[in-house]
Amino acid sequence: MKRLFILFCCLYSGISIAQNLNISGKVTDASQSSLSFVNVLVYKADAETPSQGTTTDEDGSFIFKGLEAGTYKLNFSYIGFEDIEHTIELSSNKNMGNIVLKESFEILDETLVTAKLPTIKKTPGKLVFNVENTSLSVGSTMDLLRKTPGVVVIGESIQIKFSSPVTYINGKRVYLSATEVTSLLENTDAANIKSIEVITNPTAKYDSEAGTVLNIITTKPISIGYKGSLNGTYTQGIYPKYSFGTSHLYKNNWLNLYASYNYNTKKQYKEDENYIRFFQPDEVSTKSIWETYFNRTTDFDNHSGNVVMDFTLNDKNSLSLMSNISVAPENTYHNSGYASIYSPQKQLDSINTTLSKVSYKKDNFAFALDYNRKLNDNGATLSAASNYIYYNHRQDQSVSSDYFLPDNEFLRNNSFFTNSAQKSNIFTGQADVSTNLWGGTFEAGFKFSNINTESKINFFDTENNIDTFNDALSDNFNYKENIYAEYINYEKDWEKWNISAGIRGEYTDINAISLTLGEVNTQNYFEIFPSASVNYNINDNNTIGISYNRSIHRPRYESLNPFKYFITENNFIGGNPNMVPSIEDKITLSYSHKKKWFFDLYYENIKNGLGNLSFQNNENSTLRSMYDNLIEEYQYSFDIGYYSSLTSWWYFNLSTSSYYLSNKFNALESSQDAYTNDTFGQYLQTYNNFTLSKDRSFTVDLTALYISNFVFGNRYFKNQSFVNISFRKEFWDKQASLTVGVDDIFNTLNDVASVTKYYNQDNQFFVNQESRLFRIGFKYNFGNARLRDNNKKINTDEGDRLGGE
């Protein structure tokens, strides 16, 4: 079968099958000791990319077969040795004999270093963190993100500039929920990462919804063979948590096959202490005071798998098939609430208790086909991609509330039951072209997206164990969306100048229908999204620049869904089918000094910002959280960053931001029309990496973060901080590693207050959760350690708007 496939590729590409010349040899060090796993690349004359690649065997030998006669360059590279290159004329089989590599040592403070130090390239709106073969490229990619300047990781949340970025891998958008992205990155070896791009002002080639972008660039697989890994992590908070993963990669000259599997199971605990002061109709006098203790226990299980097949059809054509599968078979929330209701004089009036259980199942299947073609030898390329995503979420919820007098005399019970489901089918297709033009790079492309989501909820009142269908609170909601997008972008470098400019246009057609409400949301609109940046190198030590970007943020599908999810009978969350997209404009002025100091002035203005708002209904004594458009949202900030290796064993980075945040929203439950929630604040993060052994096999990471005040929607937060520490030891010739660490050592992420206090609204929450966590992880690598993972995820912007953990 393999021979038939190779013959098919040769016939398809018009390549003669008479390519039978060989190049062979052996690689040793200066003492004539054989060097195994040396990377050997073969380049045709004047080619920028290798035509073949391999690694040396245990005895240092290598061989390339099936070559045509001609001129070739061979590049030999190995960590700790100097790269060398040989040029040969091939007219018959060639044995190069012994190739001797010279050791390359960098002496810093009398410590032997064979790994490079990380470097940073900063342009307006973009920071590139180069980590390939550095002391930081150990552990998982999630570990690497915690070390990346400008990226904040708290638990499973990844943030840039107080917003969740859109994650890309090799320029393709990742279609996964936050939990699934974390699982993917935890199982991706940091040694396979070339660089991480933190983009606050993306160019026009990125989807218009990508307000901030985290683009992870992987190294290219070049060596032939097989490798795999096994890893497991145990985490202890209040309850234990476990994860297991395995990945496998096989590569030959025409096939690159990658497969991975991850299983996560965890039990989590969270408790809230809530205070709500309800008002009389005059919006001044107190009606009642509710003090509620609430706790939630979550049982979570998730299976995920990833298969990627890359086919090299010939020198100019390649094809990729990908599938991602995530299944959450049975997950539950157990909620318990105890509310004490007081009179204005703080006398106990009544008590209510609530027990609720939520069970859900979730399936997430994604499939993709990518085609790439080199159009000429000057770098012109054509790519086409299609994606299909199927998402299915089923959920049941039961709620039972008991009411008592102050002496615990039972008054009444109110119970209900809901079952809901959401099914989404998403298709995307796109094509892109890139070519050299006027000494720069010109890019253009178009994309089509079709989204079809069907949701339903059935509501039953429960009395004497009998469920009665409630038609008024039941609903079907269908949402259809088509997006047509096109873009052009141009970028050019001069000796001191760099410019990038582009424009993206998108036409959107939306039709949303609710069975209960009728036709509730029909939108047709066309928007233009320009982007531009200019960078000027004053000299080798100083660079200045400016950038501008316009983007759109469409509501997540769950936020448009009008259904209600009840935490207790008096506390619920609901969607808003009348929401419209928000438009964001950003400007950044930047200055860098010696590639160590970075300064940014940043302004962001958002029209119709997407807010998660909470309002208390004083008449009914309820609290609802809902999604709505903000009237106005903007922020200013002045950011300073310092990133450097202070010594050969201490890498240090410091990020700080002084900012002003402002959200203006409709005061829906107040007589006044609107209110502005704003604050000044300070953000400070520091990361330290210490190397404690000369062979760099024992390292320590120490991270600290502090955020003073910030606002989110109509809520105000103050004083969040944590300190994390992690130890990592490699052994068995770096085939295995053991990681031990503690998150939030001082347990300071607990008791963080979330406050709403304006007009006739007065409520606050103190959240206590499992933030102090002990972790121990083990990873074992086997096979050819010089191979690079071909780990990919199917990437669409539409999928990122699905619900999920």
Side-chain angles (χ1 to χ4, degrees):
M1 177 62 72
K2 176 179 176 181
R3 291 180 179 178
L4 288 174
F5 184 87
I6 295 175
L7 179 61
F8 167 77
C9 292
C10 293
L11 293 174
Y12 172 85
S13 58
I15 298 175
S16 169
I17 60 175
Q19 301 172 352
N20 55 6
L21 300 182
N22 302 336
I23 300 177
S24 60
K26 182 177 181 179
V27 181
T28 67
D29 61 15
S31 63
Q32 298 301 306
S33 297
S34 301
L35 294 177
S36 58
F37 299 121
V38 175
N39 287 324
V40 188
L41 302 178
V42 174
Y43 295 81
K44 292 182 179 179
D46 300 325
E48 296 183 358
T49 57
S51 57
Q52 290 192 38
T54 189
T55 57
T56 56
D57 295 332
E58 293 294 332
D59 61 356
S61 63
F62 67 92
I63 186 170
F64 293 102
K65 299 180 179 180
L67 298 174
E68 293 179 322
T71 303
Y72 292 91
K73 294 183 297 182
L74 277 77
N75 181 272
F76 300 82
S77 62
Y78 191 64
I79 295 177
F81 290 80
E82 296 179 0
D83 292 1
I84 63 171
E85 186 174 277
H86 287 270
T87 301
I88 62 173
E89 291 288 339
L90 186 64
S91 57
S92 60
N93 292 338
K94 175 73 172 180
N95 188 325
M96 300 180 66
N98 274 4
I99 308 297
V100 179
L101 299 186
K102 296 180 180 179
E103 290 187 84
S104 173
F105 299 115
E106 180 182 0
I107 304 299
L108 294 175
D109 295 346
E110 299 181 352
T111 302
L112 182 64
V113 179
T114 57
K116 298 187 297 183
L117 298 174
T119 61
I120 292 174
K121 180 181 179 182
K122 184 72 168 63
T123 58
K126 181 177 180 179
L127 181 146
V128 181
F129 191 42
N130 297 300
V131 294
E132 185 178 14
N133 294 332
T134 70
S135 58
L136 301 188
S137 56
V138 294
S140 70
T141 301
M142 201 67 181
D143 295 327
L144 191 56
L145 287 184
R146 295 184 179 98
K147 309 168 187 177
T148 301
V151 178
V152 178
V153 178
I154 302 178
E156 294 180 345
S157 173
I158 302 172
Q159 291 193 340
I160 297 173
K161 304 291 288 185
F162 296 109
S163 66
S164 298
V166 179
T167 303
Y168 283 71
I169 296 179
N170 296 325
K172 292 178 178 285
R173 189 162 183 174
V174 171
Y175 167 52
L176 292 171
S177 68
T179 298
E180 293 163 338
V181 167
T182 300
S183 178
L184 163 67
L185 299 181
E186 288 285 9
N187 197 50
T188 303
D189 195 340
N192 301 310
I193 305 303
K194 179 179 180 181
S195 63
I196 295 176
E197 298 177 352
V198 181
I199 307 173
T200 54
N201 280 17
T203 62
K205 71 176 181 180
Y206 291 97
D207 294 312
S208 62
E209 288 194 271
T212 57
V213 168
L214 185 66
N215 188 24
I216 300 171
I217 307 299
T218 62
T219 53
K220 294 182 179 180
I222 55 174
S223 303
I224 292 175
Y226 164 80
K227 83 165 186 176
S229 69
L230 295 169
N231 66 82
T233 302
Y234 167 79
T235 303
Q236 180 65 55
I238 296 176
Y239 295 109
K241 303 146 185 47
Y242 308 92
S243 67
F244 168 79
T246 181
S247 63
H248 304 270
L249 172 66
Y250 171 75
K251 184 184 187 305
N252 60 26
N253 288 327
W254 56 272
L255 173 65
N256 192 5
L257 174 63
Y258 174 85
S260 69
Y261 166 77
N262 295 279
Y263 172 67
N264 290 280
T265 179
K266 56 188 176 182
K267 191 172 185 177
Q268 297 174 302
Y269 181 80
K270 180 182 87 165
E271 58 184 28
D272 297 344
E273 295 179 7
N274 307 339
Y275 169 91
I276 306 175
R277 176 191 173 203
F278 289 105
F279 289 82
Q280 297 284 5
D282 63 8
E283 300 191 354
V284 177
S285 305
T286 300
K287 172 187 173 183
S288 62
I289 297 172
W290 291 48
E291 295 181 356
T292 304
Y293 169 81
F294 170 85
N295 66 64
R296 169 185 289 175
T297 303
T298 302
D299 293 295
F300 175 85
D301 286 281
N302 189 80
H303 302 264
S304 60
N306 176 217
V307 176
V308 181
M309 292 183 290
D310 287 343
F311 299 95
T312 301
L313 303 180
N314 53 42
D315 289 345
K316 292 185 176 182
N317 298 277
S318 62
L319 193 69
S320 295
L321 299 174
M322 291 163 279
S323 66
N324 301 318
I325 295 176
S326 176
V327 176
E330 189 68 44
N331 296 279
T332 59
Y333 299 141
H334 296 274
N335 301 324
S336 175
Y338 183 94
S340 300
I341 304 170
Y342 296 92
S343 69
Q345 293 75 32
K346 207 60 173 28
Q347 293 179 337
L348 184 62
D349 180 71
S350 62
I351 299 168
N352 72 61
T353 62
T354 299
L355 295 175
S356 70
K357 179 182 177 182
V358 178
S359 301
Y360 73 87
K361 299 178 181 180
K362 184 176 67 172
D363 303 321
N364 195 341
F365 304 144
F367 306 93
L369 173 65
D370 286 0
Y371 170 73
N372 293 276
R373 177 176 175 81
K374 296 180 181 178
L375 300 178
N376 56 40
D377 294 332
N378 296 321
T381 60
L382 170 69
S383 63
S386 61
N387 300 273
Y388 171 72
I389 303 99
Y390 172 76
Y391 177 85
N392 187 12
H393 185 279
R394 293 88 68 202
Q395 178 173 293
D396 295 332
Q397 180 186 21
S398 61
V399 179
S400 178
S401 298
D402 292 327
Y403 293 83
F404 303 87
L405 291 173
D407 60 1
N408 289 322
E409 179 184 346
F410 177 77
L411 291 175
R412 64 182 178 88
N413 172 269
N414 184 46
S415 300
F416 57 87
F417 171 80
T418 65
N419 61 57
S420 60
Q422 176 186 340
K423 290 184 179 180
S424 297
N425 289 276
I426 300 173
F427 171 79
T428 70
Q430 66 184 84
D432 303 271
V433 65
S434 175
T435 186
N436 293 326
L437 180 66
W438 302 325
T441 301
F442 174 80
E443 298 171 301
F446 67 87
K447 180 178 181 180
F448 168 72
S449 305
N450 173 261
I451 301 97
N452 191 342
T453 296
E454 298 179 352
S455 305
K456 69 175 183 178
I457 185 171
N458 296 318
F459 192 103
F460 299 88
D461 293 308
T462 303
E463 187 173 357
N464 298 323
N465 294 321
I466 298 175
D467 295 330
T468 304
F469 183 73
N470 187 325
D471 185 67
L473 294 177
S474 302
D475 197 3
N476 287 346
F477 179 71
N478 296 329
Y479 180 87
K480 296 181 179 180
E481 177 183 277
N482 292 320
I483 302 174
Y484 307 84
E486 59 287 320
Y487 78 91
I488 57 173
N489 194 76
Y490 182 74
E491 184 171 355
K492 184 174 181 178
D493 290 316
W494 288 271
E495 182 179 352
K496 289 183 172 292
W497 290 89
N498 167 273
I499 63 166
S500 176
I503 190 168
R504 187 181 185 95
E506 292 191 355
Y507 175 77
T508 304
D509 179 18
I510 295 174
N511 186 27
I513 299 176
S514 166
L515 181 65
T516 300
L517 302 177
E519 189 171 347
V520 294
N521 194 342
T522 300
Q523 300 179 38
N524 298 279
Y525 57 88
F526 178 76
E527 292 284 348
I528 295 293
F529 305 99
S531 62
S533 68
V534 179
N535 200 54
Y536 176 67
N537 295 316
I538 301 171
N539 51 45
D540 291 342
N541 291 327
N542 299 279
T543 303
I544 59 173
I546 184 172
S547 66
Y548 167 77
N549 169 266
R550 189 171 192 255
S551 60
I552 189 172
H553 292 273
R554 296 182 176 90
R556 296 175 67 91
Y557 308 130
E558 64 177 7
S559 65
L560 294 167
N561 191 324
F563 305 162
K564 294 179 180 178
Y565 164 68
F566 288 85
I567 300 173
T568 67
E569 182 184 354
N570 300 87
N571 188 350
F572 58 89
I573 302 170
N576 180 2
N578 295 312
M579 292 182 69
V580 298
S582 66
I583 302 295
E584 177 181 289
D585 292 278
K586 291 187 293 188
I587 298 176
T588 303
L589 296 172
S590 64
Y591 167 71
S592 65
H593 178 64
K594 292 187 175 180
K595 298 182 180 179
K596 293 183 178 180
W597 288 97
F598 302 93
F599 305 86
D600 284 339
L601 276 173
Y602 178 87
Y603 170 72
E604 176 185 56
N605 181 70
I606 302 175
K607 178 183 177 182
N608 297 322
L610 306 179
N612 187 352
L613 309 175
S614 61
F615 297 101
Q616 60 190 63
N617 184 309
N618 292 298
E619 180 181 356
N620 298 326
S621 298
T622 59
L623 181 71
R624 60 168 172 156
S625 295
M626 63 172 293
Y627 299 93
D628 199 9
N629 291 108
L630 304 178
I631 299 173
E632 187 178 62
E633 179 181 2
Y634 62 91
Q635 69 164 297
Y636 303 92
S637 71
F638 175 56
D639 304 340
I640 301 175
Y642 176 77
Y643 320 110
S644 179
S645 294
L646 302 180
T647 71
S648 62
W649 51 268
W650 182 7
Y651 174 77
F652 173 80
N653 78 47
L654 172 69
S655 300
T656 178
S657 179
S658 303
Y659 55 83
Y660 172 76
L661 307 174
S662 177
N663 295 334
K664 186 178 181 180
F665 57 91
N666 293 304
L668 299 182
E669 295 289 347
S670 306
S671 58
Q672 296 86 346
D673 292 334
Y675 183 79
T676 299
N677 193 23
D678 61 345
T679 186
F680 289 94
Q682 185 67 42
Y683 158 84
L684 177 67
Q685 182 185 31
T686 178
Y687 166 76
N688 301 267
N689 173 261
F690 303 100
T691 302
L692 303 184
S693 62
K694 288 188 176 181
D695 63 357
R696 311 191 75 85
S697 65
F698 184 31
T699 59
V700 178
D701 288 344
L702 181 65
T703 305
L705 177 140
Y706 170 74
I707 302 175
S708 60
N709 311 330
F710 74 97
V711 294
F712 180 74
N714 61 351
R715 307 203 68 83
Y716 171 84
F717 300 83
K718 186 175 182 179
N719 293 338
Q720 298 189 62
S721 64
F722 66 77
V723 176
N724 298 345
I725 191 168
S726 177
F727 300 84
R728 187 174 190 274
K729 174 63 179 175
E730 295 178 322
F731 46 95
W732 298 343
D733 195 25
K734 298 191 175 184
Q735 282 188 295
S737 64
L738 181 69
T739 304
V740 179
V742 178
D743 292 351
D744 193 15
I745 298 172
F746 303 108
N747 206 28
T748 49
L749 277 178
N750 277 319
D751 289 325
V752 175
S754 169
V755 179
T756 294
K757 193 169 185 178
Y758 65 93
Y759 305 147
N760 63 342
Q761 304 287 300
D762 186 2
N763 58 80
Q764 56 185 305
F765 303 88
F766 291 89
V767 179
N768 294 291
Q769 55 188 341
E770 293 180 285
S771 60
R772 182 160 56 187
L773 301 170
F774 169 79
R775 302 179 190 273
I776 181 168
F778 178 79
K779 183 171 185 178
Y780 178 70
N781 300 304
F782 48 88
N784 185 351
R786 293 291 165 184
L787 281 168
R788 309 293 192 188
D789 283 349
N790 182 31
N791 191 8
K792 298 180 182 177
K793 281 291 177 179
I794 297 172
N795 311 283
T796 69
D797 57 327
E798 296 72 25
D800 193 51
R801 293 160 58 201
L802 289 170
E805 295 299 306

